[in-house]
């Protein structure tokens, strides 16, 4: 029986590349694993797979009765619906510890670094397995994406050090330029539907007795959203209903000026105002310096619920 390897719902590049890289490592170590994904990939991930001849992991959303490695999450709200009927044999993650539990012993690699692929690189080193050139290139991109080319407060010395090593293996000299090329692809929002945008990088969290959804779009120039705000707000209202949320937020993150315009649809917006000590205007606020959902948004929201 194969073991499946996958990341969170609405998979980002870390989740997709991590599944590919971790599955490769595990297979080298004699296990039988298959990388999978829980949903559609983003244009950024497509760029990475094309650039480094990556194979798109197969779509699989049900895992009852299966053994699984999960990566880049440990929250039930970001897991397949039948995760409680699967056996989690390992967790590789760099987020807050979530609410998934297991009945059996498991392998755990959880650390506060900028990207799951940073941890996976350390796993390769620990097991003394060489990383193929193309996989190294993909892992490099995943780390550049998650750390916003090292600008995110989640980025650590380990992330920058490992990027250097992966770039060497992949034969890439100017990897910051590669990161910018990737973020320009990521900034392409024209032609995408509002729902595609609100859910492109969207995560749900159980907070007390309610659910909160937080999406994020990282772009090189916020003006791409100038004519889109109304449509985005309309969709956030729908999304809030569809997912039965107390609050639905969308971070429009400008990676060049380094900050986020936050759009809020909430049953009680005063909770958001309190969390960040701000006043919303037209259900929006600019949060200077805010780049990271996991470090600068979720920890402040959680205590309000
Ligand atoms: Mg992720
Ligand atoms: Mg990640
Ligand atoms: Mg991210």
């Amino acid at each position: 029986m194969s073991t499946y390897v996958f990341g969170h719902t609405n998979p980002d590049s870390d989740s997709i590349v991590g599944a590919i890289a971790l599955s490769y490592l595990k297979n080298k170590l004699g296990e039988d694993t298959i990388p999978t994904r829980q949903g559609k990939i983003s244009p950024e991930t497509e760029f990475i797979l094309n650039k480094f001849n990556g194979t798109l992991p197969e779509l699989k959303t049900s895992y009852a009765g299966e053994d699984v490695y999960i990566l880049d999450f440990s929250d039930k709200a970001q897991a397949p619906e039948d995760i409680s009927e699967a056996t989690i044999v390992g967790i590789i993650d760099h987020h807050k510890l979530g609410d998934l539990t297991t009945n059996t012993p498991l392998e755990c690699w959880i650390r506060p670094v900028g990207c799951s692929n940073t941890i996976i690189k350390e796993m390769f080193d620990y097991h003394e397995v060489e990383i193929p050139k193309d996989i190294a290139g993909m892992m490099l991109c995943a780390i550049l994406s998650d750390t916003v080319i090292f600008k995110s407060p989640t980025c650590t010395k380990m992330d920058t050090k490992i990027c250097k090593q992966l770039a060497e293996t992949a034969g890439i000299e100017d990897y910051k330029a590669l990161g910018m090329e990737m973020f320009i692809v990521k900034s392409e929002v024209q032609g995408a539907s509002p729902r595609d945008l609100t859910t492109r990088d969207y995560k749900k969290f159980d907070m007390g007795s309610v659910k909160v959804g937080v999406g994020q779009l990282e772009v090189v120039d916020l003006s791409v959203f100038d004519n889109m705000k109304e449509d985005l707000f309309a969709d956030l209202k729908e999304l809030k209903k569809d997912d039965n949320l107390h609050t639905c937020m969308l971070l429009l993150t400008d990676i060049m000026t380094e900050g986020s315009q936050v759009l809020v649809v909430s049953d009680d917006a005063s909770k958001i105002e309190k969390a960040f000590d701000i006043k919303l205007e037209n259900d929006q606020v600019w949060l200077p310096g805010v780049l990271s959902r996991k470090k600068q948004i979720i920890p402040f929201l959680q205590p309000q619920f």
Side-chain angles (χ1 to χ4, degrees):
M1 195 175 82
S2 300
T3 302
Y4 293 98
V5 185
F6 57 89
H8 53 76
T9 46
N10 301 307
D12 55 4
S13 298
D14 191 20
S15 280
I16 298 292
V17 172
I20 294 169
L22 183 62
S23 173
Y24 176 88
L25 171 64
K26 289 293 178 183
N27 291 349
K28 276 280 162 196
L29 296 172
E31 294 181 41
D32 170 17
T33 72
I34 299 173
T36 53
R37 63 189 160 96
Q38 289 196 66
K40 209 171 110 184
I41 60 165
S42 70
E44 179 198 70
T45 307
E46 201 179 333
F47 166 87
I48 296 171
L49 293 178
N50 286 341
K51 183 133 192 130
F52 296 102
N53 310 303
T55 307
L56 179 65
E58 68 179 77
L59 180 68
K60 184 170 166 64
T61 53
S62 173
Y63 293 90
E66 308 287 3
D67 285 356
V68 299
Y69 284 105
I70 63 169
L71 67 106
D72 204 30
F73 76 101
S74 66
D75 270 303
K76 234 183 221 169
Q78 295 157 31
E81 269 179 30
D82 58 3
I83 190 75
S84 59
E85 295 164 64
T87 302
I88 300 173
V89 297
I91 302 177
I92 292 84
D93 192 24
H94 67 127
H95 293 84
K96 74 178 176 71
L97 188 59
D99 50 1
L100 282 169
T101 56
T102 66
N103 298 323
T104 49
L106 76 164
E107 176 179 7
C108 253
W109 296 68
I110 301 178
R111 281 212 305 288
V113 291
C115 184
S116 303
N117 274 277
T118 298
I119 304 171
I120 296 171
K121 164 70 166 67
E122 293 181 277
M123 293 172 75
F124 271 95
D125 294 346
Y126 176 83
H127 290 292
E128 298 177 342
V129 173
E130 265 182 47
I131 306 180
K133 200 172 175 215
D134 279 338
I135 291 184
M138 289 191 275
M139 292 171 76
L140 168 66
C141 282
I143 301 172
L144 290 170
S145 171
D146 260 17
T147 63
V148 194
I149 322 179
F150 312 140
K151 290 183 187 189
S152 172
T154 60
C155 186
T156 66
K157 273 191 187 134
M158 192 51 92
D159 298 296
T160 48
K161 180 179 142 192
I162 278 176
C163 271
K164 225 176 255 170
Q165 295 170 347
L166 288 169
E168 243 165 64
T169 307
I172 294 163
E173 253 170 59
D174 193 350
Y175 51 92
K176 284 193 181 173
L178 171 63
M180 263 320 280
E181 195 187 339
M182 192 174 69
F183 272 95
I184 287 165
V185 171
K186 196 171 196 171
S187 302
E188 194 48 70
V189 296
Q190 300 302 329
S193 72
R195 179 55 58 98
D196 181 35
L197 294 176
T198 55
T199 60
R200 188 175 278 178
D201 177 3
Y202 166 73
K203 286 180 180 172
K204 281 185 281 186
F205 300 88
D206 290 317
M207 294 197 183
S209 56
V210 301
K211 279 187 173 42
V212 174
V214 185
Q216 182 173 29
L217 291 164
E218 295 160 319
V219 298
V220 290
D221 181 1
L222 275 195
S223 68
V224 293
F225 299 115
D226 280 353
N227 300 316
M228 268 185 212
K229 291 263 179 72
E230 248 171 70
D231 290 341
L232 290 174
F233 265 116
D235 191 70
L236 289 175
K237 282 182 191 142
E238 286 302 310
L239 185 58
K240 179 176 172 296
K241 252 188 255 164
D242 292 348
D243 284 352
N244 196 18
L245 305 172
H246 174 283
T247 297
C248 191
M249 294 168 56
L250 181 62
L251 315 180
L252 305 177
T253 299
D254 189 320
I255 71 157
M256 301 312 287
T257 56
E258 302 189 21
S260 294
Q261 184 76 18
V262 187
L263 316 189
V264 179
V265 178
S266 177
D267 289 339
D268 180 4
S270 73
K271 287 197 184 301
I272 314 307
E273 295 187 326
K274 257 184 247 155
F276 301 102
D277 194 19
I278 48 99
K279 276 270 166 258
L280 291 166
E281 253 174 71
N282 300 321
D283 305 315
Q284 302 179 44
V285 68
W286 169 253
L287 296 180
V290 169
L291 296 174
S292 167
R293 172 174 44 202
K294 77 168 72 59
K295 205 162 179 171
Q296 295 169 298
I297 298 290
I298 303 306
F300 297 92
L301 278 183
Q302 199 112 37
Q304 299 297 324
F305 291 95

